[in-house]
Amino acid sequence: MNTLENIASAFRDKFSSQPLLVQGCGRINIIGEHTDYNEGFVLPASINKYIYFAIAENGTNECHFHALDINDSYQFSLDNIKKSDKGWANYLMGILDQLQQEDILLEGVDVVFGGDLPIGSGMSSSAALEAGFALGICSLFNLQKSRQELAQLAHRSSNNFLGIPSGIMDQFASLLGQRGQAIKLDCRSLQYEYVQLDLKDYELLLINTGVSHALANSAYKDRVRECREGAEAVAQKFEGIQSLRDVSLEQLEACREDLTAVVYQRCRYVIEENERLHQALHLLTNGEMEALGELLLRTHEGLSKAYEVSCRELDFLVELAKGHEGVAGARMMGGGFGGCTLNLVKKSAKEDFLKYVKKEYYRAFSIQAEHYELEIVDGTDIVRG
């Protein structure tokens, strides 16, 4: 029995009804890290790691959630939606909260979910929770919302209900991903285009540090605040500045004396990362994989030293990748402080690289590093209704 069938079977055993089945996609981000909440550019893609949902309306005002993988449950009334001490339940309740704020009348639902998308890995299990549940609810109650509108709704849920000041990249990538393609997304206008992800003789591999991160922690919120502080300082001297998206390096340098050293470093990283994304698009189009790998390494250096969202384990994995002749480049991926590295590896060198990395990582940290071979797939979708 596969994971989806297991979820459906568990639902029928628990609730004795026939559910709607949905799969919520994880995502990678090739380049453009910590630029989304600065209204910049990102280059994500949806991947074949999923959270599966079995959902059905129950004819009451009560909601019953069950997280199968951890055997944990939560229930509440639609008349009293508020944050709980169960973090996973909050991601689902936030979607219902946002729909209620649009004066959409809902009925209670029963939900069972689980999957193979590792939590805390940087592949955005949280966005898969939000995206899959949002699409399922809208399908169940025949709510006419586009995928872009669902991404915006899920993003508002993260910001307003959960209190996480993140950007929209994760929800957007989970819902609008297309097979074999990355999404170049303008996080201000939400204009986007698909980019064929032809990596020639290379492939993308994820190596998991085994160190979990939490986007809601204070360090992430500090980075958001520092970037806003920098943009506001530059806006005092230059017109047309709404966010770091609008700031050039020359403008930042002109305001350097008005910024703390830390805020200057944060802002410089974001501005340079937006520029790296545009360079990466050119390199992808021209099949220049070695140069793309160099950009990934420069992004990691910025994230580690200027933005300070890496950790010892991530830096160690990137250094291992950097020293392997079969690897064009690598970087930490996601919010930081743990999770995975993204590695651009020659297909012919994959097995040797994995053996080398796992051996050296275990020797250094006594942790068995997991790896994930990726397939770029269509985004979150209804599996069976």
Side-chain angles (χ1 to χ4, degrees), residues 221-290:
K221 293 180 179 179
D222 286 344
R223 298 303 179 278
V224 177
R225 175 184 52 78
E226 289 157 354
C227 289
R228 287 176 181 165
E229 184 180 320
E232 288 167 1
V234 177
Q236 296 295 314
K237 287 189 175 180
F238 296 94
E239 294 182 355
I241 305 296
Q242 299 176 42
S243 68
L244 285 180
R245 149 74 173 272
D246 305 309
V247 179
S248 67
L249 282 176
E250 291 75 19
Q251 289 171 328
L252 184 67
E253 290 297 333
C255 300
R256 188 166 184 172
E257 292 183 359
D258 303 319
L259 306 172
T260 66
V262 167
V263 168
Y264 170 79
Q265 290 292 341
R266 307 291 194 247
C267 294
R268 186 178 181 93
Y269 162 76
V270 172
I271 295 167
E272 290 177 339
E273 182 71 349
N274 274 320
E275 178 56 35
R276 277 191 289 269
L277 183 138
H278 294 298
Q279 294 172 22
L281 288 169
H282 173 77
L283 297 173
L284 267 173
T285 301
N286 290 287
E288 299 178 48
M289 294 300 107
E290 291 81 3

Side-chain angles (χ1 to χ4, degrees), residues 116-134:
D116 61 3
L117 179 54
I119 295 171
S121 62
M123 288 182 267
S124 202
S125 56
S126 57
L129 267 177
E130 294 170 325
F133 187 60

Side-chain angles (χ1 to χ4, degrees), residues 34-37 159 163-168 170 213-226 307 309 334-337:
H34 286 271
T35 51
D36 58 347
Y37 56 79
N159 288 177
I164 302 172
S166 56
I168 197 172
D170 295 346
H213 72 275
L215 283 187
N217 66 19
S218 60
Y220 185 88
K221 293 180 179 179
D222 286 344
R223 298 303 179 278
V224 177
R225 175 184 52 78
E226 289 157 354
Y307 219 67
V309 291
F337 313 105

Side-chain angles (χ1 to χ4, degrees), residues 45-267:
S46 51
I47 57 172
N48 59 330
K49 294 292 179 183
Y50 302 100
I51 294 178
Y52 299 101
F53 297 83
I55 309 174
E57 53 199 302
N58 58 31
T60 75
N61 211 33
E62 297 289 317
C63 293
H64 308 96
F65 297 161
H66 184 69
L68 188 63
D69 294 339
I70 58 174
N71 193 28
D72 195 15
S73 296
Y74 188 75
Q75 63 183 58
F76 62 96
S77 169
L78 288 172
D79 296 327
N80 187 30
I81 298 179
K82 58 184 179 181
K83 281 180 71 175
S84 74
D85 58 358
K86 291 187 187 293
W88 62 264
N90 292 333
Y91 284 100
L92 306 185
M93 285 193 290
I95 298 299
L96 299 176
D97 173 73
Q98 291 302 304
L99 289 170
Q100 284 190 338
Q101 291 197 29
E102 296 180 20
D103 293 325
I104 293 173
L105 294 177
L106 300 170
E107 294 180 24
V109 291
D110 299 324
V111 182
V112 174
F113 71 90
D116 61 3
L117 179 54
I119 295 171
S121 62
M123 288 182 267
S124 202
S125 56
S126 57
L129 267 177
E130 294 170 325
F133 187 60
L135 183 63
I137 290 294
C138 286
S139 178
L140 202 63
F141 293 104
N142 198 28
L143 305 179
Q144 301 302 310
K145 287 185 176 292
S146 69
R147 287 176 174 264
Q148 186 164 321
E149 288 172 328
L150 287 178
Q152 290 171 292
L153 182 143
H155 179 229
R156 289 196 303 275
S157 174
S158 279
N159 288 177
N160 302 333
F161 188 79
L162 285 104
I164 302 172
S166 56
I168 197 172
M169 173 182 70
D170 295 346
Q171 297 90 345
F172 200 98
S174 182
L175 280 156
L176 283 99
Q178 286 195 1
R179 181 171 294 276
Q181 302 188 82
I183 309 170
K184 180 200 172 187
L185 173 64
D186 179 335
C187 293
R188 172 181 288 167
S189 69
L190 298 190
Q191 291 183 326
Y192 64 98
E193 61 183 277
Y194 292 102
V195 179
Q196 192 67 34
L197 207 51
D198 181 3
L199 301 177
K200 306 302 180 187
D201 296 328
Y202 286 82
E203 65 182 288
L204 293 170
L205 291 173
L206 296 184
I207 310 291
N208 196 346
T209 61
V211 178
S212 186
H213 72 275
L215 283 187
N217 66 19
S218 60
Y220 185 88
K221 293 180 179 179
D222 286 344
R223 298 303 179 278
V224 177
R225 175 184 52 78
E226 289 157 354
C227 289
R228 287 176 181 165
E229 184 180 320
E232 288 167 1
V234 177
Q236 296 295 314
K237 287 189 175 180
F238 296 94
E239 294 182 355
I241 305 296
Q242 299 176 42
S243 68
L244 285 180
R245 149 74 173 272
D246 305 309
V247 179
S248 67
L249 282 176
E250 291 75 19
Q251 289 171 328
L252 184 67
E253 290 297 333
C255 300
R256 188 166 184 172
E257 292 183 359
D258 303 319
L259 306 172
T260 66
V262 167
V263 168
Y264 170 79
Q265 290 292 341
R266 307 291 194 247
C267 294

